[in-house]
């Protein structure tokens, strides 16, 4: 390391990367972290050399990566924090100071996934549902449970108080409505909900946020305790913004300072959209909850040294093309190139046309084309963006000097600076036209000009990834219905849900401003919502004069956080649902997110399309997907003239003018002030003031997990698994969706029985995501998927055979009975066990069910690592062998010797034996398994 003239800060050091000037920029970040963290144990000199020799070692060498920080959202973050709290209890019982248990890596937790749409413009009269179920008409159980209003109430004359509502009285609430006076939502601009003028926020957002706080109070109190009890933990309370928005606007530093060093900012998070941060030149990606916990506890992330695909951007962008169109085009190119598991790095002359917001939008979608990251090195465009944000001049000088000193700054003046890539893919931006994606998969892109024809083809095609197989004689079905006393009709292609949501697009002012510009009419039965990523979006929409237009269209601000994107959509009007069912219609949802699988938004909405925010608004105005925007009008203007999409779409010059005059440094200063201030509810909320968390035995949200039961200084070692039964006998491609609890809690499930035993009604169940801090709920929800194919019972569903008794029962009930009898369990499976999104409970749940080994033909790598981290042995059949080839019925009783290589497995009832391979990749895997998983490994290390 060196100090001196290149870094304008005395006493700080940076690590030179001069020998690596031909390496891709993302690999240089890995190299710097390896050099700085090289300790001969977690990171060895050999690892540094492997990264330095990337061209020869790519796709072969396994290397460690120690990120600068960890990013958690509340659903996936709460298990990690609960585990740390439980670890404190365990070491305290063994006489160790519990305050020694803290994350070693700085950790930020953002509370944003709990927002559910109980109210919207169409459903403002619907009573809130505190339990998250589907029952309407029930409000909070008592008035005392509602938080007190935050902020001043509006006066009778909003114009006299706030100076911008010209309609007179704001107290003219409809007689007998029972609605409370409009209340200003803290930290948000003002809009009058009765006159739809920019003077106060909508009543809908306030009500959604209040129900969010009521429903999740126990979880929020636990998070607040975490922020006080643990070092290196920062909690961002609800109502501030989505995890990715807060990460982009507030948490990201680009360059970090600590331990006497200046070094690149980098992050791993518990969400696939963590990749958004790569648009600002910050290396980061999403990992599983267990991997995140490992990083928090000081372990590096292990990854195969990736290939890096260079994506060269050339040409000029079309006027109508948004960043969404660009990313869908890039998605197509990169999917066709087969870049799964690789890094993608962007360069080329077209880069200058992409703003920082465009880049983060593109980087956000990289999970959809299976890349690990999509990286945009810091350049002049990035620096200009930082000048508009919270960076001081001194900070910017340090940032620029450091990045240039260590060759992490990208200059496009000299093409000789282009790194060496594994391969190069060229994308011509001139060829990009507006696209939407759907109706079932994000990779199925359709030009907007072809949407009408494509939807008709989908109706004709057989049921599959795109088809719905509607008979030709029923394709013209029109169903009349009444909504609020007015007659409307629905047909195939009718839009019934239109959502501009938080996690992907609202960081980009251009697409949001385009969405709200000029339009002024829409069908009132369409379930519309606007969930900004942060108050900053609301601020510039309001200041630019766009928000009132969006409000008139029904796109009201319903709150901040993930909502429609994660399936938290309020029920459609019953008349709409009845019409859809009556005509067996293929109704449509349009949203500006990145996930839209069939049935995700609503079980009666079969066709769901991803689109840019302005196209979401356009299709909502049209009321149908089946429209040719070039030839057919969206509707009729106030003067009777037909309005086409081209009449509503603003020019880039208009948008740039609005951006320059609204997205300014004051907006980011306001965000920082809001972040530091928090909310009145959060600030006034009681939280325990103790080193150890006082677990409430009555709580159904937070519970001390049993991972550390009977913790002692002794380590069990590899040992053997004796006389185990198969809990499940599964086939190929069992995904983490089959294993891990997610979504709503079925009323007939084992988890529902548990919650009912706690005197909760179905409407109070909430979701598995909200109850991830309660192992009793999550364990009962493990393997609870209705799509689980268990060969022991021969039909789909969360059932299995208790082999000794021959009884069929819930998976949890069978596992519980086996545990009472002291019988260890295994799982038999086929190919690609554990594929899909990584989820921590896909490994934690089986562990708590008593599973000690999974024997499969092959494993998804990440899930295999998670099994090892939980102390479950991933065992693989020998090449060419399978459960079928070995004629296994699943009813055998197995004994497994872990001391031999390959492992010997014997059916103790017949004496038949065969061998399997234990997939432990290194000594660390073996160490974790010996200790019973990484959590126990860390706890044991504290007891030594």
């Amino acid at each position: 390391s060196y100090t001196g003239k290149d870094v304008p800060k005395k006493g700080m050091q940076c690590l030179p990367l001069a020998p690596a000037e031909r390496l891709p920029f993302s690999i240089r970040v890995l190299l710097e972290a390896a050099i700085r963290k090289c300790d001969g144990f977690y990171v060895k000199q050999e690892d540094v050399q492997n990264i330095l020799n990337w061209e020869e070692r790519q796709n072969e060498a396994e290397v460690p990566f120690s990120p600068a920080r960890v990013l958690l959202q509340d659903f996936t973050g709460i298990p990690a924090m609960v585990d740390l709290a439980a670890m404190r209890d365990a070491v305290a019982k063994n006489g160790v100071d519990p305050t020694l248990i803290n994350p070693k890596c700085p950790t930020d937790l953002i509370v944003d996934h709990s927002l559910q749409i109980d109210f919207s413009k169409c459903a403002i009269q619907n009573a809130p549902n505190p339990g998250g179920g589907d029952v309407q008409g029930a409000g909070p159980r008592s008035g005392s449970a509602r938080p007190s209003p935050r902020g001043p109430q509006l006066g009778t004359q909003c114009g006299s108080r706030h100076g911008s509502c010209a309609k007179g009285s704001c107290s003219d609430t409809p007689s007998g409505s029972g609605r409370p006076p409009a209340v200003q939502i803290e930290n948000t601009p003002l809009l009058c909900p009765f006159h739809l003028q920019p003077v106060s926020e909508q009543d809908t957002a306030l009500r959604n946020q209040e129900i969010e706080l009521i429903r999740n109070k126990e979880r929020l109190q636990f998070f607040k305790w975490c922020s006080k009890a643990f070092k290196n933990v920062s909690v961002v309370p609800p109502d501030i913004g989505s995890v990715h928005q807060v990460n982009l606007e507030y948490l990201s530093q680009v360059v970090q300072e600590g331990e006497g060093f200046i070094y690149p900012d980098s992050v791993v998070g518990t969400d696939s959209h963590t990749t958004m941060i790569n648009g600002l030149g910050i290396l980061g990606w999403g990992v599983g909850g267990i991997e995140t916990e490992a990083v928090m506890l000081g372990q590096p992330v292990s990854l195969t040294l990736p290939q890096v695909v260079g994506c060269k951007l050339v040409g000029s962008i079309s006027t109508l093309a948004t960043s969404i169109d660009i990313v869908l085009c890039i998605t197509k190119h990169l999917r066709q190139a087969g870049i799964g598991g690789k890094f993608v790095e962007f360069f080329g002359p077209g880069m200058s046309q992409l703003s920082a917001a465009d880049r983060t939008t593109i980087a956000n979608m990289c999970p959809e084309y299976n890349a690990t990251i999509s990286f945009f090195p810091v350049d002049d465009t990035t620096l200009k963006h930082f000048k508009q944000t919270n960076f001081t001049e001194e900070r910017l000088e340090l940032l620029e000097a450091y990045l240039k000193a260590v060759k992490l700054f990208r200059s496009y003046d000299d093409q000789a600076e282009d790194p060496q890539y594994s391969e190069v893919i060229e994308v011509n931006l001139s060829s990009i036209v507006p696209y939407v994606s759907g109706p079932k998969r994000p990779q199925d892109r359709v030009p907007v000009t072809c949407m009408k024809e494509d939807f008709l083809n989908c109706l004709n095609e057989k049921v599959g990834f795109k088809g719905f197989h509607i008979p030709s004689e029923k394709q013209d079905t029109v169903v009349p219905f009444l909504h609020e006393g007015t007659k409307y009709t629905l047909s195939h292609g009718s839009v019934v849900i239109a959502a501009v949501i938080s996690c992907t697009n609202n960081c980009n002012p251009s697409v949001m401003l385009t969405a709200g510009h000029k339009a002024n009419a829409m069908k009132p039965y369409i379930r519309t919502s606007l969930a900004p990523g942060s108050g900053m979006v609301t601020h510039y929409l309001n200041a630019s004069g766009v928000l009132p237009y969006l409000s008139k269209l029904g796109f009201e601000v319903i709150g901040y956080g993930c909502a429609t994107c994660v399936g938290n959509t309020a029920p459609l009007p019953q008349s709409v649902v009845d019409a859809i069912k009556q005509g067996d219609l293929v109704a449509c949802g349009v949203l500006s997110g990145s996930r839209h699988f069939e049935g995700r938004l609503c079980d009666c909405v079969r066709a769901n399309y991803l689109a840019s925010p302005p196209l979401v608004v356009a299709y909502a105005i049209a009321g149908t997907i089946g429209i040719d925007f070039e030839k057919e009008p969206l509707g009729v203007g106030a003067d009777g003239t037909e309005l086409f999409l081209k009449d509503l779409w603003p020019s880039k010059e208009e948008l740039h003018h609005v951006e320059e005059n609204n997205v300014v440094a004051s907006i980011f200063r306001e965000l920082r002030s809001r972040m530091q201030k928090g909310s009145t509810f959060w600030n006034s909320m009681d939280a325990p003031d103790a080193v150890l968390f006082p677990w409430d035995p009555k709580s159904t949200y937070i519970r001390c997990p049993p991972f550390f039961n009977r913790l002692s200084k002794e380590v069990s070692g590899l040992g053997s698994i004796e006389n185990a039964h198969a809990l499940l006998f599964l086939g190929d491609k069992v995904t983490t969706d089959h294993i891990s609890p997610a979504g709503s809690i079925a009323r007939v499930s084992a988890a529902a029985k548990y919650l009912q035993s706690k005197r909760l009604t179905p409407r109070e169940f909430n979701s598995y995501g909200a109850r991830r801090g309660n192992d009793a709920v999550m364990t009962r929800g493990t393997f609870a998927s209705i799509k689980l194919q268990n060969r022991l019972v021969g039909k789909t569903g969360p059932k299995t055979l208790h082999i000794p008794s021959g009884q069929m029962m819930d998976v949890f009930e069978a596992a519980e009975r086996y545990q009472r009898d002291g019988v260890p369990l295994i799982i038999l499976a086929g190919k690609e066990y554990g594929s899909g999104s990584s989820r921590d409970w896909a490994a934690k749940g089986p562990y708590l069910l008593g599973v000690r080994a999974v024997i499969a033909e092959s494993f998804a790598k990440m899930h295999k690592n998670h099994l090892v981290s939980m102390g479950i042995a991933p065992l693989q059949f020998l090449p060419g062998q399978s459960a079928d080839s070995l004629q296994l019925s699943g009813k055998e009783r197995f004994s497994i010797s872990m001391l031999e290589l390959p492992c010997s497995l014997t059916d103790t009832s017949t004496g038949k034996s065969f061998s399997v391979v234990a997939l432990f990749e290194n000594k660390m895997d073996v160490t974790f398994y010996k200790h019973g998983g990484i959590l126990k490994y860390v706890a044991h290390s504290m007891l030594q």
Side-chain angles (χ1 to χ4, degrees):
S1 62
Y2 64 86
T3 60
K5 60 182 180 180
D6 292 321
V7 182
K9 191 149 186 167
K10 293 182 179 180
M12 302 298 290
Q13 298 178 308
C14 63
L15 300 173
L17 300 181
E21 290 184 13
R22 294 292 290 168
L23 292 179
F25 284 82
S26 51
I27 299 300
R28 299 180 201 183
V29 178
L30 295 181
L31 177 61
E32 189 282 336
I35 294 172
R36 178 166 39 87
K37 291 289 185 177
C38 187
D39 61 358
F41 181 63
Y42 292 127
V43 183
K44 301 178 177 64
Q45 202 165 6
E46 178 187 358
D47 298 320
V48 175
Q49 196 62 42
N50 281 334
I51 300 174
L52 194 57
N53 295 332
W54 167 79
E55 288 189 57
E56 294 76 29
R57 300 293 289 153
Q58 58 181 293
N59 217 28
E60 294 180 3
E62 197 78 11
V63 297
F65 173 53
S66 299
R69 54 192 175 90
V70 168
L71 184 69
L72 306 174
Q73 46 96 332
D74 50 327
F75 272 16
T76 50
I78 197 167
M81 302 314 300
V82 166
D83 290 346
L84 286 178
M87 190 183 297
R88 279 196 168 189
D89 284 2
V91 299
K93 290 176 182 177
N94 283 270
V96 175
D97 182 1
T99 62
L100 297 177
I101 300 295
N102 293 288
K104 294 183 180 180
C105 184
T107 300
D108 296 293
L109 188 149
I110 292 85
V111 183
D112 76 326
H113 266 54
S114 55
L115 179 64
Q116 178 170 305
I117 302 176
D118 293 283
F119 294 105
S120 68
K121 186 171 184 178
C122 291
I124 190 63
Q125 299 299 334
N126 288 356
N129 180 354
D134 55 3
V135 179
Q136 297 184 26
R141 284 172 287 183
S142 68
S144 61
R146 184 184 294 273
S148 60
R150 295 163 292 153
Q153 293 187 356
L154 294 179
T156 57
Q157 294 284 333
C158 72
S160 63
R161 181 162 186 174
H162 297 289
S164 53
C165 180
K167 297 291 186 178
S169 174
C170 266
S171 61
D172 54 352
T173 309
S175 176
S177 69
R179 290 173 62 181
V183 178
Q184 179 190 345
I185 300 174
E186 188 172 29
N187 298 327
T188 59
L190 302 174
L191 175 81
C192 171
F194 303 110
H195 301 138
L196 298 177
Q197 294 297 315
V199 292
S200 166
E201 181 95 39
Q202 286 84 346
D203 199 24
T204 53
L206 174 67
R207 293 191 175 197
N208 282 314
Q209 290 170 10
E210 287 185 347
I211 297 304
E212 173 190 6
L213 300 176
I214 295 169
R215 182 185 287 126
N216 296 282
K217 185 176 181 181
E218 289 183 36
R219 297 169 60 243
L220 296 177
Q221 287 177 320
F222 175 74
F223 287 142
K224 190 164 186 179
W225 172 82
C226 291
S227 68
K228 296 162 59 178
F230 290 110
K231 298 177 182 178
N232 265 348
V233 172
S234 173
V235 177
V236 177
D239 301 348
I240 301 297
S242 72
V243 57
H244 314 298
Q245 203 73 32
V246 173
N247 190 25
L248 286 170
E249 297 171 10
Y250 181 77
L251 300 176
S252 298
Q253 298 298 309
V254 186
V255 171
Q256 296 277 8
E257 300 177 35
E259 301 178 355
F261 280 96
I262 305 173
Y263 54 94
D265 190 8
S266 57
V267 61
V268 293
T270 54
D271 192 289
S272 58
H273 297 292
T274 304
T275 54
M276 205 170 190
I277 202 63
N278 291 277
L280 298 182
I282 299 170
L283 188 66
W285 63 88
V287 296
I290 293 175
E291 285 175 298
T292 307
E293 287 189 49
V295 174
M296 292 168 63
L297 296 171
Q299 314 293 318
V301 175
S302 180
L303 73 155
T304 302
L305 193 58
Q307 293 179 293
V308 182
V309 176
C311 187
K312 186 174 185 178
L313 303 181
V314 298
S316 301
I317 301 173
S318 164
T319 303
L320 294 182
T322 68
S323 57
I324 303 303
D325 302 316
I326 296 169
V327 75
L328 290 175
C329 175
I330 291 172
T331 297
K332 175 185 177 181
H333 281 83
L334 296 182
R335 273 189 178 276
Q336 292 174 343
I339 46 78
K342 301 176 184 179
F343 282 12
V344 176
E345 197 166 291
F346 290 86
F347 71 109
M351 286 283 291
S352 61
Q353 300 176 65
L354 301 181
S355 68
D358 291 331
R359 298 176 186 194
T360 57
T361 308
I362 294 169
N364 173 70
M365 286 288 279
C366 82
E368 302 303 336
Y369 43 81
N370 296 322
T372 303
I373 63 160
S374 292
F375 193 75
F376 291 81
V378 175
D379 59 13
D380 288 328
T381 299
T382 323
L383 290 180
K384 290 178 182 178
H385 169 74
F386 293 143
K387 289 179 181 178
Q388 295 179 331
T389 63
N390 288 313
F391 284 80
T392 63
E393 286 297 327
E394 181 185 5
R395 181 76 186 171
L396 283 170
E397 289 177 9
L398 169 65
L399 185 156
E400 184 175 358
Y402 169 76
L403 293 177
K404 289 181 176 179
V406 297
K407 308 298 182 182
L408 285 174
F409 185 85
R410 184 66 162 97
S411 172
Y412 292 99
D413 296 333
D414 183 4
Q415 296 302 314
E417 283 197 12
D418 288 346
Q420 183 70 40
Y421 293 113
S422 305
E423 60 178 304
V424 174
I425 299 172
E426 186 172 292
V427 176
N428 190 337
L429 299 177
S430 304
S431 66
I432 299 174
V433 296
Y435 280 88
V436 296
S437 175
K440 301 180 182 183
R441 302 189 304 176
Q443 64 263 40
D444 294 325
R445 301 166 64 246
V446 185
V448 172
T449 54
C450 301
M451 267 295 291
K452 186 173 184 177
E453 178 185 357
D454 187 80
F455 182 73
L456 291 176
N457 291 337
C458 291
L459 295 181
N460 288 316
E461 287 185 22
K462 293 181 180 180
V463 175
F465 291 131
K466 291 205 64 165
F468 298 100
H469 197 54
I470 303 298
S472 57
E473 65 273 12
K474 294 184 178 182
Q475 291 182 13
D476 296 325
T477 300
V478 177
V479 181
F481 69 99
L482 288 176
H483 177 72
E484 296 180 350
T486 303
K487 185 176 180 180
Y488 300 95
T489 60
L490 289 180
S491 57
H492 293 293
S494 290
V495 174
V496 294
I497 295 176
V500 178
I501 53 182
S502 62
C503 67
T504 58
N505 304 308
N506 295 352
C507 68
N508 192 326
S510 65
V511 292
M512 289 298 296
L513 293 171
T514 307
H517 201 69
K518 296 183 180 180
N520 61 6
M522 200 191 67
K523 307 291 190 302
Y525 59 80
I526 297 176
R527 175 72 73 232
T528 54
S529 60
L530 169 59
S534 77
M536 186 197 78
V537 179
T538 309
H539 184 98
Y540 67 66
L541 288 177
N542 189 40
S544 64
V546 169
L547 192 58
Y549 292 98
L550 286 171
S551 298
K552 289 178 182 179
L553 290 170
F555 290 92
E556 295 183 313
V557 176
I558 55 87
Y560 301 99
C562 296
T564 305
C565 188
V566 292
N568 287 344
T569 305
L572 295 176
Q574 191 58 46
S575 57
V576 173
V577 175
D578 292 342
I580 293 172
K581 292 181 178 179
Q582 178 184 336
D584 190 26
L585 299 177
V586 180
C588 299
V590 190
L591 68 156
S592 62
S594 60
R595 298 292 175 89
H596 65 336
F597 307 117
E598 187 174 12
R600 183 181 179 97
L601 303 186
C602 181
D603 57 4
C604 65
V605 180
R606 286 188 274 172
N608 296 308
Y609 289 90
L610 302 181
S612 63
L615 286 177
V616 171
V617 175
Y619 279 114
I621 294 171
T624 180
I625 286 295
I627 182 174
D628 185 336
F629 287 129
E630 291 185 352
K631 300 177 181 178
E632 299 175 63
L634 293 177
V636 179
D639 58 358
T641 59
E642 292 183 334
L643 290 175
F644 290 81
L645 180 60
K646 63 183 179 181
D647 300 322
L648 303 180
W649 202 285
S651 67
K652 286 190 178 296
E653 290 74 19
E654 289 178 279
L655 292 175
H656 289 160
H657 176 77
V658 173
E659 284 185 60
E660 290 170 2
N661 286 274
N662 292 280
V663 185
V664 293
S666 62
I667 294 176
F668 291 89
R669 286 197 297 269
E670 179 186 333
L671 172 67
R672 180 174 292 275
S673 173
R674 186 166 65 251
M675 289 284 297
Q676 294 171 347
K677 180 182 177 183
S679 69
T680 301
F681 179 86
W682 175 264
N683 294 337
S684 62
M685 183 174 57
D686 292 332
D689 188 11
V691 172
L692 301 178
F693 184 72
W695 307 98
D696 181 0
K698 296 180 182 179
S699 174
T700 58
Y701 281 94
I702 307 295
R703 192 175 115 123
C704 185
F707 297 125
F708 304 101
N709 289 357
R710 298 183 295 276
L711 180 70
S712 65
K713 294 183 179 181
E714 289 74 28
V715 179
S716 59
L718 287 176
S720 300
I721 301 172
E722 301 291 342
N723 295 316
H725 271 306
L727 177 64
L728 297 162
F729 188 6
L730 306 172
D732 295 340
K733 297 184 178 179
V734 173
T735 71
T736 50
D737 282 344
H738 294 104
I739 307 169
S740 178
S744 60
I745 299 173
R747 298 188 181 191
V748 295
S749 64
K753 294 175 186 176
Y754 166 80
L755 292 174
Q756 287 170 335
S757 73
K758 300 294 184 180
R759 300 184 178 180
L760 295 183
T761 62
R763 66 178 183 155
E764 296 171 307
F765 286 174
N766 212 326
S767 64
Y768 282 114
R771 296 189 180 275
R772 288 172 73 98
N774 185 331
D775 66 277
V777 172
M778 299 301 287
T779 306
R780 286 166 171 81
T782 302
F783 294 112
S785 171
I786 60 173
K787 296 182 180 180
L788 188 72
Q789 294 268 7
N790 180 13
R791 294 170 64 177
L792 289 177
V793 296
K795 60 180 182 180
T796 58
K799 299 287 184 180
T800 195
L801 184 70
H802 180 256
I803 295 170
S805 67
Q807 291 181 279
M808 186 188 304
M809 55 184 67
D810 286 340
V811 173
F812 173 79
E813 293 173 351
E816 190 176 40
R817 189 164 174 180
Y818 280 125
Q819 290 199 49
R820 283 200 305 267
D821 297 337
V823 177
L825 298 173
I826 65 168
I827 291 173
L828 295 173
K831 300 180 181 68
E832 298 180 41
Y833 180 80
S835 58
S837 301
S838 70
R839 291 178 177 162
D840 52 348
W841 276 101
K844 287 182 175 180
Y847 175 83
L848 293 180
L849 288 174
V851 174
R852 294 296 168 259
V854 178
I855 307 172
E857 292 178 60
S858 62
F859 291 83
K861 184 177 187 319
M862 186 173 289
H863 184 64
K864 186 268 297 180
N865 292 341
H866 288 180
L867 292 176
V868 173
S869 294
M870 285 310 303
I872 299 176
L875 307 177
Q876 185 168 292
F877 290 108
L878 296 181
Q881 293 187 351
S882 65
D884 289 336
S885 70
L886 294 170
Q887 298 182 335
L888 302 179
S889 67
K891 298 179 181 180
E892 297 83 359
R893 193 151 192 178
F894 300 100
S895 287
I896 306 171
S897 174
M898 301 294 293
L899 300 176
E900 304 174 15
L901 291 176
C903 300
S904 174
L905 193 149
T906 304
D907 176 5
T908 55
S909 58
T910 64
K912 179 181 178 180
S913 64
F914 58 94
S915 296
V916 292
V917 178
L919 300 181
F920 299 131
E921 294 184 0
N922 48 48
K923 292 181 180 179
M924 189 57 67
D925 280 358
V926 175
T927 299
F928 288 162
Y929 181 77
K930 285 181 178 179
H931 284 262
I934 187 172
L935 295 174
K936 286 188 176 179
Y937 167 75
V938 174
H940 283 144
S941 67
M942 303 297 295
L943 302 184
Q944 303 305 317

